[in-house]
Amino acid sequence: MPKPHILQVASYPAWDQTALDAAYTTHRLEQNPDLTLIEAIATSGGAGVATEVIQACPNLKLIAIYGVGYDGIDLSLCAGRNIQVTNTPDVLTGDCADLAVGMMLAIARQIPQADYHARSGAWTKASFPLQRRVWGAKAGILGMGRIGQDVATRLAGFGMDIAYSARSEKPVPYTYIPDPTDLAAHADFLIVTAAATPETHHIINAATLKALGPDGFLINISRAANIDENALLDALESNQIAGAALDVFDAEPQINPRFAPLKNALLQPHHASATLQTRRAMGQLMRDNLTAYFAGQPLITPVI
């Protein structure tokens, strides 16, 4: 029986690639110069499948996402074409929450700068400047889904006063503040974990940052589209906020050069889920969805 055909639009680790090649006839975009109609996906810089790609594949029936976010997919187009979409939720939740907390600690205590202070010999000439306390501070979590709840669980261990904003109040033991700007005014650390939707586009904007204030820190572990990046750069350059720790950017992997000289910005290369254990689990869940689809069984983690 011939193996099903799949179009692979990204490179995968050997443990995933070997399994995919064994089960399917894989058409790898980077090795297929004849697939000119869908080359845009190779340089898009984002997680998703461009509308032009979907339209160029008339027999497309399933998009299996290696990740939790699906904001790069035109779900309306997929629904109209009866194209099913899956993602890999849950398995990466803990890693994302870990990095959010790690970034919060790093920006508040200036851990990268302190490392340099010790290595460079500057410590022999002067003590490292005093930094900001984390334990007991006020944390505002924008988005109380899986990742937001895992972040909150970790922050509770620091004795933090935890509040959150979401589309509706959740059955969690934290203070609900519906308006994101009010949440920012309340928080010492504003942590963004919300999914990227049309409603959350630039939900962190100039007004939100002004409310966060000169003693407030912003941590983004979600999607770049949730933050008005130009407004954030303005706020950082003018010290309108204390600092920002970011794992995602508008044009990644290209980063706005305005970030480079900022000592109050901690930059990460979009690697929240990038641990060996989690990437293996993500690949397995993606393949399990493919297996279910081709076996005519219900999808395990359907988006639509």
Side-chain angles (χ1 to χ4, degrees):
M1 186 173 180
K3 293 190 287 188
H5 290 256
I6 63 172
L7 172 64
Q8 182 180 326
V9 299
S11 297
Y12 293 117
W15 58 76
D16 287 323
Q17 194 63 58
T18 299
L20 287 170
D21 291 341
Y24 307 102
T25 299
T26 55
H27 301 273
R28 299 175 65 179
L29 188 62
E30 72 273 18
Q31 297 178 356
N32 243 306
D34 292 334
L35 297 175
T36 53
L37 284 176
I38 53 176
E39 284 181 349
I41 191 65
T43 56
S44 67
V49 178
T51 298
E52 293 79 7
V53 176
I54 298 172
Q55 292 172 335
C57 299
N59 295 321
L60 182 62
K61 298 299 181 185
L62 173 72
I63 298 174
I65 302 170
Y66 183 89
V68 67
Y70 48 84
D71 48 294
I73 308 292
D74 186 337
L75 295 182
S76 296
L77 174 61
C78 290
R81 288 265 307 274
N82 292 317
I83 298 169
Q84 298 182 81
V85 178
T86 65
N87 64 346
T88 60
D90 295 322
V91 294
L92 50 69
T93 298
D95 276 349
C96 292
D98 281 354
L99 189 64
V101 175
M103 291 197 302
M104 177 187 70
L105 290 167
I107 190 68
R109 297 297 299 267
Q110 294 286 287
I111 291 174
Q113 292 87 340
D115 176 89
Y116 177 78
H117 191 81
R119 290 175 186 271
S120 67
W123 190 12
T124 64
K125 300 180 178 122
S127 297
F128 191 67
L130 299 178
Q131 302 301 323
R132 289 283 302 280
R133 175 191 287 176
V134 169
W135 69 267
K138 293 180 179 179
I141 301 175
L142 180 53
M144 191 49 74
R146 297 180 183 92
I147 295 173
Q149 290 183 39
D150 256 28
V151 169
T153 298
R154 286 155 173 74
L155 299 187
F158 289 88
M160 298 184 82
D161 174 352
I162 301 169
Y164 72 97
S165 288
R167 284 178 293 184
S168 60
E169 191 167 0
K170 309 296 181 183
V172 294
Y174 314 118
T175 303
Y176 179 50
I177 300 177
D179 184 78
T181 302
D182 291 340
L183 182 70
H186 171 83
D188 298 309
F189 297 92
L190 180 61
I191 303 172
V192 185
T193 65
T197 67
E199 292 73 29
T200 63
H201 181 75
H202 288 185
I203 195 168
I204 301 297
N205 50 40
T208 318
L209 295 166
K210 183 178 180 181
L212 184 59
D215 293 326
F217 293 90
L218 175 72
I219 295 95
N220 188 16
I221 200 71
S222 62
R223 291 294 198 189
N226 289 337
I227 293 180
D228 183 337
E229 195 169 275
N230 285 324
L232 174 59
L233 283 161
D234 291 342
L236 289 168
E237 289 169 345
S238 63
N239 294 310
Q240 188 178 66
I241 65 173
L246 311 166
D247 189 43
V248 288
F249 303 88
D250 278 346
E252 60 185 53
Q254 299 298 321
I255 297 178
N256 191 315
R258 291 171 64 188
F259 279 114
L262 294 174
K263 295 181 179 179
N264 56 354
L266 175 74
L267 314 180
Q268 298 290 290
H270 198 159
H271 72 137
S273 67
T275 66
L276 289 169
Q277 299 92 329
T278 288
R279 288 295 171 87
R280 284 182 181 272
M282 288 168 61
Q284 184 63 60
L285 183 51
M286 179 190 70
R287 296 195 306 276
D288 289 346
N289 275 301
L290 288 170
T291 299
Y293 173 79
F294 286 111
Q297 298 172 352
L299 298 175
I300 299 168
T301 51
V303 176
I304 59 170

